[in-house]
Amino acid sequence: MAKASGGNYGQLRGDLLFGKRYLSLDVLSWVSIYRADGQKVHYGANWDEQPYAVMPIEGDMIIGGYNKTPSYDLGLSLKWNKLHLLYNRRFAKTVAPLSLSYFFTPYEYDQYRKLNGYAPGYAISSQHAELGYADSRGNFAWQVSANFDSQDQQRYQVDGDIPESGTGGNDLYPNGADSILIKLYDHVFQSVKWSEYTYGVSAQSSYNYSFGKSQSGVIMVGGQANRFNLADAAYLEGIKYDLILKTYNDTKVLNTGKETSADAYVQVKHSFGYGIVLNAGLRYDFKLRSSGKKLHVLSPRIALIYSHPKWSAKFSYSKAFVDAPYFYRNNTLDINFGDDNLFPEYLNSWQLSFYSDGKLVPRLKVEVNGFINKADNFIIQSELGNTNAGSLTNAGVEMAASYAISRFRVDGNFTWQRVLASQNFSIFDHSIYNIPDFQANLAASYEIVRGLKVNAHANFLSKQKSLYALPFAPEVVINIPSRVIVDLGASYAIWKVEFGLNVYNIANTSYLQGGSSVAPMQQAGRWLLGHVSFKF
């Protein structure tokens, strides 16, 4: 299949997909290329339009920009008898909508130089390769694989873009005894770039067993070992759009290093008959950090399932962990980073689920899940650095359902949640800042006549609050009203050709959304994307 797409904000996309079977060989390959100018929102240099900037300046905010260097995704998958080979390479470079951190203003994106071929924003290039073998004999099956992953990242950020006519002031860039005093209107930029790769092996086997008239199950064991290497890193600061002021190699650095991790697990799924199933597992993780510190973690999980001919129910408990990120533990770029005493973060989850696949109510598939999640030891940032001082317990209900009849199909889901307890985490009235208590999606499609399909999607988010909090400044609570964003689309297929048009946010609703930025940001308005495709 070949597909070409274009849109109203400079979106250009091309897709090629090829699949073929040659005797015992299955071949699948793909290429996708995308770029977009992005939607520009103009701001004046006043506090009314930029209430959360240190010093408002006039300029354009760019939403959804992927330009200067096109993004792509390409891959190849080969399967020959019991062997499989996969290779995938991806690149994406997005435009940062506003300048860094508390500056929070538009900046002159096109004026800044390229670094390593990329304009300001976040660029990430990755590749994944995997070679595996799978086989089975009777009730016994196994598979082994070797994999390699690499990633290059560049975070190229504009610190402040105050015009030279502004009063501004000065900013101090500390570098030990070699501190540098620069003017805020010197159009400051900074970039941190690093390269990393991971290689490893994994193995898994399973055995199906049965005894008696109703007792049966499967035992699964496996494990994997990986070696991580942050091979190279560089940090620099510059001024006047183009001049690199200093490249750091002693202070303000991301330290290179190697880390080893391994895990082993066992899982048993046993059916007792009468629709009762027990699924239990245990995983052991080991990690050797670059500092020499060793971690040992056990993660259990267990589920009790009752399966009725028309529905099923499940109660489960699981414990999971993730180690403190390498980036947090091995750099001196900021006061918040560089602490190898950080512990892993843990999540305990209890869930009660119900599922019906269309037999209880004809054509209606529905799944309802109630949960309580307790996160411990998660990392929080403060003026004194990063610490494992956070905890959060929340409960909620989520539901997904679908209904299909003839040429009509509708799918929907919703999630509701409430905070039960927290420590060192910004909440209000049992809610989390920048996250709605309730959100829902509804998607429907209908084939009007043969080849002509229409579809619609609605996304609803309840009201939220966002917290504007900077060091040594009073906190400001920002109210974000509830919203419904509606998307519409249509496609027509004749012979081997298809034409289509999708309109996102058809009402051009203007709304803000908060997150990791210091204050909520303007989000995308009405975007159009049309396409034509041909199947060979």
Side-chain angles (χ1 to χ4, degrees), residues 51 80 90 144 441 494:
W80 180 64
R90 296 178 176 180
V144 293
N441 289 277
I494 179 172

Side-chain angles (χ1 to χ4, degrees), residues 319-330:
K319 181 180 180 180
F321 92 105
V322 60
D323 192 20
Y326 183 96
F327 188 88
Y328 280 17
R329 295 183 280 109
N330 292 279

Side-chain angles (χ1 to χ4, degrees), residues 93 101 149 176 206 224 239 255 277 281 288 300 305 352 357 359 413 425 439 466:
K93 186 265 160 188
S101 188
D149 292 271
S206 62
Q224 58 183 351
I239 59 175
N255 300 318
V277 177
L288 177 62
I305 306 165
L352 180 61
D357 63 355
K359 297 177 181 178
N413 63 66
F425 195 80
Q439 52 184 313
S466 187

Side-chain angles (χ1 to χ4, degrees), residues 12 139 207 222-223 300 321 362 471 495:
L12 291 174
N139 294 333
Y207 178 74
F321 92 105
W495 189 51

Side-chain angles (χ1 to χ4, degrees), residues 218 220 266-272 276-282 300-305 314-317:
V218 58
M220 182 184 301
V266 59
Q267 182 172 332
V268 179
K269 185 175 182 180
H270 183 82
S271 175
F272 295 92
I276 300 175
V277 177
L278 176 67
N279 193 351
L282 182 66
R301 58 184 58 197
I302 186 170
L304 184 62
I305 306 165
K314 177 177 69 173
F315 175 76
S316 65
Y317 163 77

Side-chain angles (χ1 to χ4, degrees), residues 233-297:
Y235 177 77
L236 61 83
E237 291 168 351
I239 59 175
K240 299 185 183 299
Y241 300 122
D242 185 72
L243 176 62
I244 295 178
L245 188 67
K246 185 173 180 61
T247 299
Y248 293 86
N249 54 20
D250 48 0
T251 61
K252 290 191 175 183
V253 294
L254 175 58
N255 300 318
T256 59
K258 300 177 181 180
E259 298 192 336
T260 301
S261 61
D263 67 72
Y265 57 89
V266 59
Q267 182 172 332
V268 179
K269 185 175 182 180
H270 183 82
S271 175
F272 295 92
Y274 308 102
I276 300 175
V277 177
L278 176 67
N279 193 351
L282 182 66
R283 171 172 164 152
Y284 164 74
D285 282 271
F286 167 79
K287 186 168 187 179
L288 177 62
R289 289 180 175 178
S290 58
S291 63
K293 182 175 292 186
K294 298 178 181 179
L295 303 177
H296 305 270
V297 181

